[in-house]
Amino acid sequence: MSNDARWAVGVCMALFGLAGLLIASRAADATFYSAGLIFSLASVLTIFNLIRITFDEAEGRPTEREGAVPFVLLAIAVGSVLFHAFSPWWWAPIASNWHYIDETIRLTFWITGLVFVAVLAFVAYCVFRFRHREGSRAEYGPESTRLELVLAIGTAVGVAAMLAPGLVVWGQFITAPTEATEVEAVGQQWSWNFRLAGQDGRLGTTDIRDVRPVGNPLGVSPDDPHGQDDIVVEAADLHLLIGRPVKLRLRAIDVLHSFYVPEFRAKMDLVPGMVTQLWFTPTRPGRFQILCAELCGFGHPDMRGWVVVENERDYRNWLQAQQTFAQRATSAVASSLHDASSGHSRHGGGSARATP
């Protein structure tokens, strides 16, 4: 290793150690504290070893340490597996029916983890078995049909094993049951709005040309009778009934957004000009945060909302307190007329005072 490379590794390990100290100093529990100290200790030992190698070279001592490389590779493999097994970072407790997604991700972890360990073990074996020896010569083999077939078939089986379950779950994820309650979620910079069907059980049509900041933020078509009784929830919590399937229709008013509730395992992009959808069944009461998982502008970190999952009595009470589209439109018209009347009076009063 050249001196420049040692300097680069040393600087990286110093930063790594400082990060470990920062984690340990701000740790909220023993796990984070221990992890931070381990990071710092590993960086100190690495920097110490680099310094020792530099002094050995300066004094003409032998610095070959090829024998340690296989053990380092095996240590990386074992350490990665242990870190995954005992890591404090894991998924939020599930609150929907989508345990299939968790099972698919676990299967992916198993496949990629086994391949990772196998590759590192093979490299460690090759480094140890075919290390340099005096008098030995390497044998050049330009091609091996058998090896290529084994690698190609093994790779294809591994990729298929990861993709097939995901495709099955994806098909289930976007195919809502017929009894699901239809709810619309609309993203715009930087808030979440929602719409639920009224007494007729149907959502009215929408048109982007009907969007108004006051009175009609979702662009509900005023001429569609099915939209008059739709319940509009603007920049407030969405309430859902526990145990009832929900078909979520997703729209974006302005730019790309992404609806994401970690506990529901529900994530889908919102694309302007398109309607995307997903469905889930809330299985646990509580208040769960909605995140936007797509960079959507300056206020992206603040684009958050809440889903409240509750029993039928509380849900009915909340539902009765909400306004329909027709009620909101009437209120908006009345407010506009009042503002116009007030402005006209103020203008008239000013003119009268100006008249001699």
Side-chain angles (χ1 to χ4, degrees):
M1 182 184 295
S2 65
N3 288 331
D4 292 339
R6 287 198 195 99
W7 270 105
V9 173
V11 171
C12 291
M13 294 309 299
L15 296 175
F16 190 70
L18 291 175
L21 291 176
L22 181 63
I23 293 173
S25 64
R26 297 176 177 269
D29 54 38
T31 304
F32 284 91
Y33 181 77
S34 301
L37 291 182
I38 290 173
F39 291 164
S40 300
L41 180 61
S43 65
V44 169
L45 292 177
T46 303
I47 293 173
F48 175 77
N49 193 47
L50 291 174
I51 294 173
R52 186 174 62 174
I53 292 175
T54 303
F55 276 99
D56 288 346
E57 287 184 348
E59 296 176 1
R61 299 175 183 174
T63 59
E64 294 182 351
R65 290 180 173 83
E66 289 83 355
V69 173
F71 300 101
V72 171
L73 294 175
L74 293 176
I76 292 174
V78 173
S80 299
V81 173
L82 293 176
F83 180 80
H84 175 77
F86 298 103
S87 173
W89 301 288
W90 200 242
W91 306 314
I94 191 168
S96 77
N97 59 306
W98 286 118
H99 58 87
Y100 307 107
I101 293 178
D102 290 1
E103 294 170 359
T104 303
I105 296 176
R106 287 192 188 98
L107 177 62
T108 302
F109 278 156
W110 273 105
I111 294 174
T112 55
L114 289 173
V115 172
F116 176 74
V117 172
V119 169
L120 281 182
F122 176 73
V123 172
Y125 167 77
C126 290
V127 171
F128 178 78
R129 175 66 177 80
F130 304 106
R131 65 189 183 277
H132 172 71
R133 294 186 181 125
E134 292 295 334
S136 62
R137 295 183 60 186
E139 180 181 353
Y140 175 63
E143 59 185 37
S144 173
T145 304
R146 179 182 177 184
L147 178 60
E148 292 173 0
L149 283 175
V150 170
L151 292 176
I153 294 173
T155 302
V157 170
V159 172
M162 288 189 294
L163 291 182
L167 292 175
V168 173
V169 174
W170 172 255
Q172 298 173 347
F173 190 67
I174 61 174
T175 307
T178 54
E179 70 273 14
T181 301
E182 196 169 44
V183 177
E184 184 180 64
V186 180
Q188 64 180 107
Q189 295 173 319
W190 290 278
S191 63
W192 294 102
N193 302 320
F194 307 97
R195 185 163 62 108
L196 295 83
Q199 295 294 331
D200 60 0
R202 294 179 56 181
L203 288 174
T205 59
T206 59
D207 193 322
I208 193 67
R209 291 170 294 187
D210 292 324
V211 172
R212 300 290 184 273
V214 178
N216 195 6
L218 305 187
V220 180
S221 298
D223 299 329
D224 185 359
H226 295 295
Q228 297 301 311
D229 64 346
D230 287 355
I231 297 171
V232 177
V233 181
E234 184 179 1
D237 295 353
L238 171 66
H239 288 234
L240 298 176
L241 185 60
I242 186 171
R244 176 177 293 181
V246 177
K247 177 183 177 182
L248 202 62
R249 292 163 43 94
L250 303 168
R251 292 192 297 122
I253 295 295
D254 37 37
V255 298
L256 286 173
H257 300 285
S258 187
F259 181 91
Y260 179 41
V261 180
E263 290 85 356
F264 293 164
R265 308 299 191 261
K267 181 183 180 299
M268 183 68 71
D269 289 349
L270 287 71
V271 183
M274 293 178 59
V275 177
T276 55
Q277 70 176 47
L278 56 86
W279 77 276
F280 58 90
T281 302
T283 58
R284 180 161 58 90
R287 194 164 182 258
F288 308 102
Q289 192 170 52
I290 306 171
L291 306 175
C292 179
E294 190 79 33
L295 183 61
C296 57
F298 180 78
H300 166 70
D302 299 323
M303 187 171 174
R304 301 168 184 261
W306 293 93
V307 178
V308 178
V309 179
E310 56 196 0
N311 58 43
E312 185 166 4
R313 185 187 64 180
D314 294 338
Y315 176 73
R316 295 299 176 189
N317 292 336
W318 171 82
L319 204 60
Q320 291 174 1
Q322 305 307 306
Q323 284 188 323
T324 65
F325 168 70
Q327 292 170 337
R328 291 174 57 88
T330 302
S331 301
V333 170
S335 177
S336 298
L337 292 176
H338 176 72
D339 292 343
S341 175
S342 299
H344 178 72
S345 299
R346 288 192 298 269
H347 178 73
S351 299
R353 286 193 297 270
T355 303

